[in-house]
Amino acid sequence: MTDPLNNSLRFTPLPLQSVTLDDRFWRPRLEVNRTATLPFLYEQLERVGAIDALDLRPRPLRVPCHPGSAVTPQMWWDSDIAKWIETAAYALATHPDAALEAQVDALVEKIAAAQQPDGYFNTFFTAIESQNRLTNERDWHELYNAGHLIEAAVAYTQATGKTAFLDVMERYIRFLMGVYGPHPGQKHGYPGHEEIELALVKLSRLTGKREYLEFARYFVDERGRQPYFFDEEARARGEEPSSELLSHGDALPYEYMQAHKPMREQDKVVGHAVRAMYLYSAMADLAAELGDESLRQACERLWADLTSRRLYVTGGLGPSAHNEGMTTNYDLPNDTAYAETCAAVGLVFWAQRMLNLTGDGQYTDLMERALYNNVLSGVAQDGRRFFYDNPLESHGDKHRWEWHSCPCCPPNVSRLLASLGGYVYGRTADGIAVHLYAGGSARFEVEGQPVTFYQRTEYPWEGKVELEFDLERPARFTLSLRLPRWCRDPKLSVNGEAVDLSDARDGHVHLTREWSAQDRVELNLPMPVERVYVHPNVRQDAGLVALQRGPVVYCVEEADVDVPLHQLALPRGADLTATFEPELLGGVSVVRGEAEVEEPGDWGGTLYRTAPPRQITTSLCAVPYALWDQREPGEMRVWLREEVREAPR
């Protein structure tokens, strides 16, 4: 393979093989992901018939799924298998496993056998609706599937060096490059569900072939141009374009799939949340690879819109189940919040790319928030139960399930966790950057000399991070450390000597010096329990308060209190303390304090009265939001009523 194309990334992720995570927080989660979730996902794909579909013999059976649904052959099954292969590839990169590798090779053989003579590959449209292939990209996910297959092929080649899967996908892409493009006889189009764009950038980086990068740019540039491709596509099928199909509720026509106007003109995050995150990730990649300032500026505008008007405190996005996405400014309902797990995973992808492009720690801060809260909420600690949507309030009727008729989220969160080592560090032109604080090690080179970098920490439960190097001889380079915005008073020392942080920039402190094996760096990030308030335009949270500590957002569950949660009121001045409880939920820091509740009293069978209820004190215990619904069923709330007493006159 050739070197990656020329790019302007400020940070470049370290290869997975160079990173080890072995702390108390991440090691058990990653082990469960590798040893429990990965085989469980394969079993489910077998059970519903997705694996058999690779033989172009889809089962006509209806397989029970989560309550109220069943599974029939689906046009997105190829993407689910691809995400499983991608997860397996990341696992193989860090934990070689001959049996798992053979399992992937068997799937690759099936994929190669199912590829059509012209290069086309899609099991659904080959076996079930061959007459309809590439006739409805608005709704039918062929290019979306292709994108996930490309990502899987790239990851598997990087993990094993094998190129059979990559060869299949390159052949498929060459076929698609003949179908879509700006020339006469080609379709001037783009996918309804974005994904292939970011995958093509990965493929270009791996192979060094610029044509893949240009194909990704074509899809991004063509999007939103008139005449609208999906209108032309519908007429070619003998249909009249339908605004109803394009709108999906609150979104205007074409907003649902971010195709209402050219991408460089967009400044508002609209439509389906997952599609948006994948598209913006590709835009950031292209901005880096091509030095495209207009794409970068578009990404920054969209980021500002998301973070100032449309984002949940948990890092979730997309409040509406109707369109799996965005509605209006400041519309952030709690009990009906959709906040799809895949959308938060996509936000992590986009945030990392914006960090790599700009070097600005604000993107890592949000990447961390989404990761520790909305993403981890999407999978239970046993690795076998999942949330598709992630509400911030439950009346005891919301629980994880083992599978879904559209099972995009389980393998998506699994592939992110399997690749987590690629998000922790970044290489710079003159050193190494620490983006996420997690116990473990990283290996890199400075002027040809191997260096091993160690982190020791109990993060996110504690904010103390100890850092040191293992290298044969002193070497000069820059160590860049993120200073999270949630931390008000960070402290840093090198070999016991305090470091002045007043000149920190872009959310980082940059330490340039000659480093030796004797050097010790200590970073302290104080983690007081903090109250969080939302913009007054968010009507659903008026008069409410949320709790966070460090990057972790907390919730209250019925299991920990003896009154209905809507009755709890947290006094503004109440003391709140955090304690680590090793026997609870595998070991977590909980927040404890006192709250007030209205005394039920004797209402004498009446529903209303003029006398105000008396307030009594009760104990409050809050647990990390990501771990809710893992004990007895019951209510849950992130946002609590706040009691504000008038100051004495």
Side-chain angles (χ1 to χ4, degrees):
M1 298 297 167
T2 63
D3 291 332
L5 299 174
N6 179 38
N7 66 69
S8 58
L9 301 183
R10 283 283 301 274
F11 297 120
T12 303
L14 290 180
L16 285 181
Q17 295 91 332
S18 299
V19 178
T20 301
L21 298 175
D22 61 6
D23 61 18
R24 178 160 58 173
F25 185 88
W26 283 114
R27 181 172 59 187
R29 285 166 174 78
L30 301 187
E31 186 72 9
V32 165
N33 188 57
R34 183 175 62 85
T35 63
T37 305
L38 187 60
F40 177 77
L41 295 179
Y42 189 89
E43 291 167 7
Q44 295 296 322
L45 290 169
E46 270 194 320
R47 182 177 71 90
V48 301
I51 302 297
D52 284 350
L54 291 175
D55 295 323
L56 304 183
R57 297 193 305 272
R59 288 195 225 153
L61 303 177
R62 294 180 64 85
V63 181
C65 196
H66 68 91
S69 73
V71 176
T72 56
Q74 301 290 346
M75 59 183 62
W76 51 75
W77 269 355
D78 294 347
S79 71
D80 299 322
I81 292 171
K83 282 183 278 189
W84 184 88
I85 294 175
E86 188 180 349
T87 305
Y90 297 142
L92 290 168
T94 56
H95 294 78
D97 181 328
L100 178 61
E101 189 169 337
Q103 194 174 19
V104 175
D105 288 341
L107 291 178
V108 171
E109 289 181 7
K110 289 176 178 286
I111 291 170
Q115 187 169 34
Q116 297 303 288
D118 59 5
Y120 178 84
F121 177 84
N122 184 291
T123 57
F124 184 90
F125 287 99
T126 298
I128 297 176
E129 295 189 15
S130 59
Q131 75 281 9
N132 287 327
R133 76 176 199 176
L134 296 179
T135 60
N136 186 351
E137 196 49 51
R138 182 190 69 193
D139 303 321
W140 287 350
H141 291 70
E142 284 159 282
L143 295 179
Y144 166 80
N145 287 334
H148 278 301
L149 288 161
I150 293 167
E151 287 200 87
V154 167
Y156 195 55
T157 297
Q158 291 173 327
T160 66
K162 296 179 178 178
T163 62
F165 192 10
L166 191 71
D167 292 342
V168 170
M169 293 317 301
E170 286 202 76
R171 186 171 169 230
Y172 185 18
I173 292 306
R174 287 193 293 273
F175 166 78
L176 291 174
M177 290 170 68
V179 174
Y180 294 95
H183 304 298
Q186 291 183 302
K187 294 185 178 183
H188 305 322
Y190 40 84
H193 194 314
E194 304 93 327
E195 216 286 332
I196 192 172
E197 300 90 343
L198 70 88
L200 285 166
V201 176
K202 286 187 175 184
L203 184 62
S204 181
R205 287 174 176 163
L206 177 67
T207 63
K209 296 178 181 178
R210 189 178 179 88
E211 57 262 39
Y212 301 144
L213 192 67
E214 294 297 336
F215 197 29
R217 173 158 61 177
Y218 169 77
F219 281 137
V220 169
D221 286 347
E222 187 66 25
R223 197 170 205 88
R225 289 184 176 176
Q226 297 190 41
Y228 288 128
F229 168 61
F230 297 135
D231 290 352
E232 300 296 306
E233 187 185 49
R235 293 187 182 99
R237 294 193 302 270
E239 303 172 6
E240 281 302 310
S242 170
S243 294
E244 181 180 350
L245 288 174
L246 289 167
S247 63
H248 288 258
D250 293 308
L252 297 172
Y254 281 105
E255 281 191 353
Y256 174 69
M257 47 201 82
Q258 298 81 42
H260 53 296
K261 58 183 177 181
M263 294 312 306
R264 288 171 172 78
E265 300 175 15
Q266 295 192 25
D267 57 9
K268 180 180 176 181
V269 179
V270 296
H272 190 279
V274 181
R275 300 178 193 224
M277 294 303 102
Y278 288 170
L279 175 60
Y280 304 159
S281 295
M283 290 166 60
D285 273 341
L286 288 168
E289 294 289 349
L290 301 171
D292 191 321
E293 187 63 20
S294 62
L295 275 181
R296 169 179 168 152
Q297 291 172 357
C299 284
E300 290 173 342
R301 290 193 304 271
L302 292 163
W303 184 273
D305 178 66
L306 174 70
T307 56
S308 64
R309 300 180 184 92
R310 304 173 186 278
L311 188 70
Y312 282 102
V313 69
T314 55
L317 62 156
S320 171
H322 186 75
N323 67 346
E324 295 189 307
M326 301 300 171
T327 54
T328 56
N329 290 348
Y330 303 107
D331 181 34
L332 295 170
N334 294 309
D335 58 345
T336 61
Y338 202 66
E340 185 181 340
T341 299
C342 278
V345 169
L347 178 57
V348 170
F349 295 162
W350 185 28
Q352 186 197 35
R353 287 163 169 82
M354 292 301 292
L355 166 68
N356 291 341
L357 173 63
T358 67
D360 193 331
Q362 67 165 313
Y363 300 109
T364 325
D365 290 341
L366 186 48
M367 179 173 76
E368 179 182 65
R369 180 178 291 272
L371 179 63
Y372 278 100
N373 299 288
N374 199 114
V375 170
L376 284 184
S377 172
V379 56
Q381 287 180 303
D382 65 5
R384 295 170 177 264
R385 292 173 296 124
F386 309 93
F387 275 141
Y388 194 109
D389 48 323
N390 295 271
L392 281 72
E393 179 180 333
S394 170
H395 305 297
D397 56 351
K398 182 68 179 177
H399 309 291
R400 291 176 179 84
W401 37 261
E402 289 191 345
W403 204 242
H404 196 280
S405 56
C406 178
C408 54
C409 294
N412 218 3
V413 70
S414 185
R415 69 174 176 144
L416 174 56
L417 292 179
S419 62
L420 185 64
Y423 293 81
V424 179
Y425 301 98
R427 282 304 311 269
T428 64
D430 60 352
I432 186 79
V434 183
H435 302 315
L436 300 175
Y437 295 107
S441 62
R443 298 177 300 281
F444 60 100
E445 286 191 357
V446 175
E447 297 178 352
Q449 178 185 190
V451 179
T452 302
F453 177 73
Y454 296 97
Q455 282 198 66
R456 296 182 179 85
T457 182
E458 292 295 324
Y459 200 91
W461 310 132
E462 299 296 337
K464 181 179 180 181
V465 185
E466 296 178 334
L467 313 166
E468 60 184 62
F469 299 97
D470 181 9
L471 66 173
E472 292 182 1
R473 61 185 183 276
R476 185 175 181 82
F477 57 89
T478 298
L479 170 63
S480 300
L481 303 175
R482 179 175 63 99
L483 301 177
R485 286 185 297 177
W486 55 256
C487 184
R488 307 289 181 264
D489 188 27
K491 302 293 185 184
L492 179 65
S493 65
V494 177
N495 299 327
E497 183 176 342
V499 176
D500 182 7
L501 299 179
S502 61
D503 63 347
R505 62 186 188 278
D506 296 330
H508 294 86
V509 57
H510 305 280
L511 305 175
T512 302
R513 53 174 284 158
E514 186 173 77
W515 297 95
S516 71
Q518 288 73 43
D519 290 326
R520 299 292 182 271
V521 180
E522 185 173 305
L523 177 66
N524 280 287
L525 303 170
M527 290 184 174
V529 179
E530 293 190 307
R531 290 167 169 81
V532 180
Y533 302 92
V534 73
H535 193 285
N537 285 350
V538 180
R539 57 184 175 79
Q540 296 94 341
D541 296 331
L544 304 183
V545 63
L547 300 176
Q548 72 177 25
R549 181 172 180 267
V552 177
V553 175
Y554 282 77
C555 69
V556 177
E557 287 195 276
E558 186 178 339
D560 299 310
V561 297
D562 54 6
V563 298
L565 301 189
H566 73 274
Q567 295 183 12
L568 287 173
L570 181 64
R572 180 167 288 184
D575 291 333
L576 297 169
T577 60
T579 57
F580 186 78
E581 300 194 6
E583 303 303 319
L584 178 65
L585 295 168
V588 297
S589 286
V590 302
V591 173
R592 294 189 180 276
E594 289 186 344
E596 293 186 351
V597 62
E598 296 174 354
E599 186 178 32
D602 181 11
W603 282 69
T606 63
L607 184 60
Y608 304 99
R609 72 183 191 191
T610 57
R614 190 168 68 91
Q615 300 284 333
I616 59 175
T617 300
T618 188
S619 61
L620 174 76
C621 176
V623 299
Y625 168 77
L627 300 179
W628 78 280
D629 190 51
Q630 299 196 107
R631 295 175 288 172
E632 59 267 31
E635 289 187 286
M636 179 276 294
R637 287 175 72 101
V638 169
W639 291 94
L640 305 173
R641 289 195 298 124
E642 185 177 48
E643 181 72 24
V644 182
R645 296 191 180 96
E646 290 186 9
R649 298 187 179 185

